[in-house]
């Protein structure tokens, strides 16, 4: 799961940066505010890459997805991109866990086969 979810978060890192560039063109938003919010979101996306296997990591990822969708009120294209990335996040978590289960099953079968092939030391 970690590889798929981390790939999604790295993609979000770049999308957030580009959304910040678009948001700077809005006269009602100050440059400092735009880059403070975008900077926090970008750092969060990078930190989450390392926190995915820890408790609460996936939930923080969901919070980031909600934040991306809500950012559509300031950069309308982010509604679409936020929904797309939320779908990618769901797929990364869902299918990543399935892949982890299959890998664990294969490792257990390989270990069992390896143990069956060894002669008894007694």
């Amino acid at each position: 799961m970690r590889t798929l979810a981390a790939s999604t978060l790295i993609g979000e890192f770049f999308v957030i940066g580009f959304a910040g560039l678009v948001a700077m063109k809005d006269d009602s938003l100050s440059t400092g505010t735009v880059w403070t919010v975008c900077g926090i979101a970008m750092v969060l996306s990078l930190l989450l890459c390392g926190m995915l296997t820890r408790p609460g990591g996936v939930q923080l990822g969901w919070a980031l997805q909600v934040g991306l969708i809500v950012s559509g009120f300031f950069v309308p294209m982010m509604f679409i991109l936020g929904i797309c990335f939320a779908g990618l996040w769901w797929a990364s978590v869902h299918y990543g866990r399935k892949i982890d289960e299959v890998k664990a099953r294969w490792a257990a079968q390989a270990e069992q086969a390896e143990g069956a092939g060894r002669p008894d030391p007694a």
Side-chain angles (χ1 to χ4, degrees):
M1 176 198 67
R2 185 171 186 242
T3 303
L4 290 174
S7 299
T8 301
L9 290 169
I10 294 299
E12 287 179 8
F13 173 85
F14 290 106
V15 167
I16 293 166
F18 291 131
L21 293 172
V22 172
M24 280 182 30
K25 293 186 177 196
D26 189 350
D27 293 333
S28 65
L29 301 172
S30 73
T31 304
T33 303
V34 167
W35 287 115
T36 299
V37 172
C38 287
I40 290 170
M42 291 171 79
V43 168
L44 180 61
S45 69
L46 289 179
L47 290 176
L48 279 173
C49 290
M51 293 177 50
L52 289 171
T53 56
R54 295 189 177 155
V58 174
Q59 288 77 13
L60 282 173
W62 279 114
L64 181 63
Q65 305 315 310
V66 170
L68 283 178
I69 295 169
V70 169
S71 70
F73 288 109
F74 303 99
V75 178
M77 183 54 109
M78 288 305 291
F79 281 124
I80 296 167
L81 289 173
I83 290 169
C84 288
F85 272 103
L88 282 172
W89 181 253
W90 175 84
S92 297
V93 171
H94 179 74
Y95 292 112
R97 285 183 176 156
K98 286 188 177 200
I99 290 169
D100 289 346
E101 290 171 7
V102 170
K103 282 183 179 179
R105 217 175 317 136
W106 285 353
Q109 288 173 352
E111 185 177 305
Q112 184 180 19
E114 185 179 297
R118 290 186 189 157
D120 231 0

